[in-house]
Amino acid sequence: MGRIRTPVGTREPERSNMQSVFDSRDPRYKDPFGALPTGKSADLTLRPPRSMGFSGGAAVARSEFSGGVMEYPLVWTGMEGTCDVFSGKLPAGKTPDLIWYCFRFFRSDGSIRYFGAGGWRKKAPEEFQLTVYEETGTSPDWFGQGVTYQIFPDRFFAALPVVTSGFVGKRRLHGGWEEEPDYLPDENGEIRNDDFFGGNLRGILRKLDYLKTLSVETIYLNPVFEAASNHRYDTADYTRIDPMLGTEEDFRILCREAGQRGMRVILDGVFSHTGSRSVYFNAGGGYPSLGASDSMDSPYYGWYRFESWPEKYSSWWGIKTLPQVNEMAPSYLDYILTGNNSILRRWLRAGAAGWRLDVADELPDAFLELLRKAAKEEKPDAVILGEVWEDASNKVSYGLRRRYLLGKELDGVTDYPFRDALLLFLGGGRAEEFRERMETLREHYPPSAFYSAMNFLGNHDTPRVLTLLGAGEDLSGAPRSQRAEFRLSEAERLRGGRMLKLAALLMYAFPGSPTIYYGDEAGLEGFEDPFNRRPFPWGKEEKELQSWFGKLGRLRTLRPSLRRGDLEYRAARGPLLAISRRLGGEETVAAVNVGAEPAVLALPWAKETAEDALSGEALPVRDGKVSVLLSPWGGICLTE
């Protein structure tokens, strides 16, 4: 696992006024950087001005989960210029935790001042965060190194024949692959998501060689189990591949054939709720067995929370077709996780390499711990990823601070903060802000979690990135008919494509797995669901964009520095952002200029040669430096 380095003296302007006292990201003040394993300590050094007259100090540490508050002495060790130097240690403790810390200084007259993340205060200030995690050694290092490709199965490719019967729910099969997904409410005012295009597992199998041209190493499938809707987040039967997608044998073949091409397949685990039209709930009586809505004697009755059986029950976000489950019900735990033939184990045995967990915020910490334990017992290198939209190290969900990244639950998360920061930068933000947001994450996350992030530009829950970048706005509030008909103009498409190429360059250069949402590389457009779930445009791909993603994928595959190297910011000022990845003697630098004016970037360069790996252009190296001229909305990938 790579170490991440940030050059001294490149912090944000708002931090600079505090740096001379303490900078939690600088090893001269706190060493080691970032999160700490249990049982370790951080060395602290503070440099308050001599004029403040302090005679002593202490680090004040508050433990989130144990609830204790401890003070650790800071000892005067001398002077540096006009500053006193106080040093001490901050122990991580023996159990995983979040430690919130600040500093208390006192004078000989008894007066005190506090120093925290917001600077000097007379009372307790804003605290710094220290994540204390358990080093279990069970997070696989394969995920995060290579490219991930996300597939919404119904819309990727339909290999003939398409199954048209034998499944739950009424379905409408589109007559043409290029038709618009249904987006208007039915006669009852509901959007049922019951229109299908017929994409299937055999279709994905047929396109494995295409995925290989993109250097894909992980295929992430949106739900594949039997369900009534086209998105299949309303699971009807966890034991059965949806018949329109294929069979369990088709899934096994897909995993095997993918493996022969160096790819792994991970599944979408939807365990916080089921579908109402499921074998477990059985609203409408679609299954011959007794579901929870049929009888209180149903073996599944205890899975659900009924306020008044059978009509009133807890459902996900109030959507009655998605009844929530009691995840900690013993029979549910046995069925999904802990039993010898549990759903989790069954599909890992069938060939899955791991699970991406839908709405991880809805799943109790105890459930996630049992899930991880069962997965690692079954397949030690299985990866467990969680859908989390915020900083996962300190997320509060339903009033509880979550423990996702403390070593017993998730290996990594969906990196929405990365997407948000990158799109903000491309939309006119400053490189300093992008770096600040990402530095906050890497300071908070254990290294294995930071390197196991699922980095993406868009997915099935967000508008298509090309549309956002090209249009320059999100029309989510516009009438659905307007959003359905919207297409980028030629000028907007050119603009969006140029920006998307730079976004992809940065994503592929960043730690974590660069994740392509199917069709983004081919130029698919669309705002939010269902317009972001249009069928893949086979035969009408944006070839230049597709080639760009293919080239980035090959670089990610061939260069170890991009797969697991250290991270360093070479430049972050205004519209100019340059990041370096280094491993051993190999260095790769990705630099972009999102401004309207050319920008010159001069970098120290230890090698005798330099080349832009994207264009093949050789760049002169003189006196140990390489000078790069970046055109407006231009980018390079600098290699030796």
Side-chain angles (χ1 to χ4, degrees), residues 65-105:
F65 299 118
S66 67
V69 178
M70 299 290 292
E71 290 197 6
Y72 303 98
L74 296 174
V75 178
W76 186 86
T77 58
M79 290 188 64
E80 289 184 9
T82 60
C83 294
D84 286 311
V85 179
F86 291 88
S87 300
K89 288 186 177 292
L90 179 60
K94 296 182 179 180
T95 58
D97 212 328
L98 280 185
I99 293 178
W100 305 95
Y101 67 99
C102 63
F103 303 100
R104 181 173 61 86
F105 287 95

Side-chain angles (χ1 to χ4, degrees), residues 60 102-103 112-116 119 121-127:
V60 183
C102 63
F103 303 100
I112 63 174
R113 289 292 297 275
Y114 290 90
F115 186 85
R121 297 290 186 274
K122 293 182 179 180
K123 296 183 179 180
E126 180 183 351
E127 299 163 309

Side-chain angles (χ1 to χ4, degrees), residues 162-167 173 244:
V162 173
V163 175
T164 58
S165 63
F167 36 68
L173 185 64
M244 186 173 276

Side-chain angles (χ1 to χ4, degrees), residues 265-298:
V265 177
I266 62 175
L267 291 171
D268 212 330
V270 187
F271 301 136
S272 72
H273 56 269
T274 69
S276 59
R277 291 178 288 177
S278 66
V279 68
Y280 317 106
F281 200 82
N282 207 27
Y287 290 89
S289 56
L290 290 179
S293 69
D294 296 319
S295 172
M296 292 184 181
D297 293 327
S298 166

